[in-house]
Amino acid sequence: MTTKTNQAAPADLMTGIAQKHLFIETLEERKSDSLDFHEVSVWGVKAALEAAYAAGLAAAQEAK
């Protein structure tokens, strides 16, 4: 049985992480190199990975 949680949908969560840490407006393909490819800092990538890890850990804790 699944229960409804306060967690954002995975796509919304990933988009939020990309916006906050990588300054990427959307994760949708826009078929333009200037819109679909981004130069990001290593500290931005690190922060995005940490946020994704924390979100996964929180989701696993909530599932228990």
Side-chain angles (χ1 to χ4, degrees), residues 7-57:
Q7 283 279 52
D12 293 339
L13 182 62
M14 288 187 288
T15 298
I17 290 171
Q19 290 171 341
K20 180 177 181 181
H21 299 286
L22 304 174
F23 307 104
I24 295 174
E25 181 181 336
T26 180
L27 295 177
E28 296 296 320
E29 181 181 340
R30 296 185 276 178
K31 303 199 184 318
S32 168
D33 286 354
S34 65
L35 297 173
D36 290 338
F37 290 86
H38 304 274
E39 189 170 316
V40 298
S41 65
V42 294
W43 54 87
V45 172
K46 181 181 178 193
L49 290 171
E50 288 172 342
Y53 178 83
L57 188 60

